[in-house]
Amino acid sequence: MNIFWNELVKQTDPYVPGEQPSTTDCIKLNTNENPYPPSPEVTKAIFQELNGSLRLYPSPSAQPLRETIADYYGVNANEVFIGNGSDEVLAFAFMTFFERGKPILFPDITYSFYPVYTRLFRLEAKPIPLNEDFSIPVEQFFHSEGGVIFPNPNAPTGKFVPLEAIEEIVQHNPDQVVIVDEAYVDFGGSSAIKLIEKYEQLLVIQTMSKSRSLAGLRIGYAVGNRHLIEGLNRVKNSFNSYTVDRLAIAGAQASFQDEQYFQRTRTKIIRTRERVRKELKQLGFEVVDSLANFLFITHPKAQAKRLYEQLKTNGIYVRYFDKPRINNFLRVTIGTDEEMDTFLDKIKEFV
Amino acid sequence: MNIFWNELVKQTDPYVPGEQPSTTDCIKLNTNENPYPPSPEVTKAIFQELNGSLRLYPSPSAQPLRETIADYYGVNANEVFIGNGSDEVLAFAFMTFFERGKPILFPDITYSFYPVYTRLFRLEAKPIPLNEDFSIPVEQFFHSEGGVIFPNPNAPTGKFVPLEAIEEIVQHNPDQVVIVDEAYVDFGGSSAIKLIEKYEQLLVIQTMSKSRSLAGLRIGYAVGNRHLIEGLNRVKNSFNSYTVDRLAIAGAQASFQDEQYFQRTRTKIIRTRERVRKELKQLGFEVVDSLANFLFITHPKAQAKRLYEQLKTNGIYVRYFDKPRINNFLRVTIGTDEEMDTFLDKIKEFV
């Protein structure tokens, strides 16, 4: 607390990202990073851009990347917004579409940044309790006063809501923006991007940090009706003209151009996830039906917090959330097959 | 205007950065970029980092770079905050230190992003008219209700306020944060960073976009008392956990490690500026006493707007602001000697 902070800052309760251990001598299954490096085309493209013009500002809207992503999804460039990671895109979306005094709906168990944004921008939220099995009570998201946001698959559960349910939610919020945060959609879900031409109030947000192995490069994007995108641009241009640097733009473009690599690595992760799921079940774990690059697990006879600590002592980092309803669960990112074998070996010792 | 934007967004009037012409076949003197490339050490360091771990998130606080910058200025790492360009640092500073209903003081002629932030964060500002010669009326910045911010050297005039005047302003604002925005300080000014140990309310913001030729990489930073820095971190961590990517961190560190290159290029720009200043005066221009990498010029017999357009037609981009008091001025970035010769040749034709 400090006399120079304004009232808002005194009250903030910032998001706490998963630990970034300083040692590389560990197995890092705590921040949903991809265990495989990005496509070799990405490094090539960045290397080329390095010989270009770092001394010059990048395109304020990251226009070349907008066009690449638009082509990839078969939409127009003015239906794509690029940001410095999907967290920045989310922050701008909260600033653009949500209004004070009109509660936003999001699940009670969800990405923990949403309540942080709500406080930071002095908004109000009405958390909707998930069903007992962590599925989304679809009707509860109808007729929102201030808009809707949820991750699909949800975090940290990994549960996926089928597009039909999303369409129902969107249809029952004709005058409110519905944001689907698809950070993990490439690991088995189906993207709502295909619905944006049909619903002008639907905004889909994705990131290149997970399925495209570019957490270190900071790129996220939103796809939606051009008026929604224009709103995001107005806010971004009132905040920071250039949020995505030249190397990130070049690297991100190359990632979209290497479809084969993308398909190969994401399929590999899905396969590893299904194998680990089976083995964990054999060990007596309950494993939530995840379509993400992580599993959300609990054991009837083992304390999650203790497991988390035991694993950490053994150089294996997983994520534990000390929050109501989920404080006996662990979120485990899917690593390489080798990493998961070590994880499974250790966990066998502890349960 | 769109029904899905909130009231704030409907009222925003975003900052408009200088044009980024799509052709490279022009002379770009409009966004104060450096005409020289970054140090070769920067590209080497980025190349090395490329072989590292783009798949992993960067350090949330850009810790390695914090330490490099702290060493460079002889302060502690917890007195340094790193952001995605100094615009992002400025945005976070507005969010952290300024309070609604308490007017912020800044000059009437200044960086045009300040009024944009003021609106975006629903703050109030009291613009202080500069003296006739664009110098700062120091006493008018005393006893502010909500804090003070100004660039030093000022933009777009290039005028520098000596540190004694800054100290006076800081001393007369004991309970308010005073932000000195030193985007252009390396071109002949003297940094207020040396005063931060003495004044806990002083925050100094710098960028690597100008004097370090890294506009395309997006790095800015703030130096100040650790409580001010902690406030900035609280806001940043409520907005976007990782704002500076791995390649930017590595490249920026290398730039600080090549002091010789930095000194050589900034001296070159200062020398070119002084030569161009003389030649413009000989052509009848009034040239504001700039200590930045640009000159702010006006001609008693030529219309600035017309000159701007004539130059543009000839492939030379300078900046024209259609604003009260300065709408007969041009801001001309200092390019290479060759570029400035072409600029001078052309301008001779028009005046």
Side-chain angles (χ1 to χ4, degrees), chain A residues 306-325:
Chain A
R306 210 175 123 75
L307 262 181
Y308 158 79
E309 281 156 3
Q310 285 172 313
L311 286 165
K312 193 171 159 182
T313 312
N314 282 269
I316 301 175
Y317 288 74
V318 300
R319 192 89 197 255
Y320 171 73
F321 299 91
D322 199 359
K323 288 184 180 171
R325 295 189 69 184

Side-chain angles (χ1 to χ4, degrees), chain A residues 158-214:
Chain A
K159 275 234 174 204
F160 182 75
V161 183
L163 289 194
E164 298 73 51
I166 300 223
E167 250 188 297
E168 272 194 81
I169 292 174
V170 174
Q171 283 165 353
H172 287 86
N173 283 282
D175 300 325
Q176 299 301 333
V177 174
V178 175
I179 302 177
V180 185
D181 176 358
E182 297 188 336
Y184 302 103
V185 79
D186 290 329
F187 300 104
S190 176
S191 174
I193 289 179
K194 53 183 83 63
L195 301 175
I196 66 134
E197 304 293 346
K198 209 166 154 192
Y199 302 105
E200 58 173 3
Q201 72 274 39
L202 172 64
L203 189 77
V204 181
I205 295 180
Q206 294 200 359
T207 174
M208 300 190 69
S209 299
K210 318 291 183 182
S211 60
R212 294 186 179 272
S213 307
L214 289 173

Side-chain angles (χ1 to χ4, degrees), chain A residues 34-100:
Chain A
N34 199 307
Y36 305 110
S39 154
E41 297 302 319
V42 170
T43 28
K44 263 191 237 167
I46 293 174
F47 182 63
Q48 269 188 323
E49 182 67 25
L50 256 181
N51 297 318
S53 297
L54 276 189
R55 68 176 187 87
L56 297 177
Y57 283 105
S59 156
S61 61
Q63 193 60 23
L65 180 56
R66 271 180 112 177
E67 286 167 14
T68 300
I69 293 179
D71 278 354
Y72 187 82
Y73 290 107
V75 302
N76 296 314
N78 64 5
E79 293 169 321
V80 178
F81 174 85
I82 314 283
N84 183 259
S86 63
D87 284 345
E88 188 185 74
V89 180
L90 287 166
F92 288 145
F94 270 71
M95 291 173 87
T96 306
F97 305 116
F98 298 150
E99 187 79 86
R100 291 171 194 200

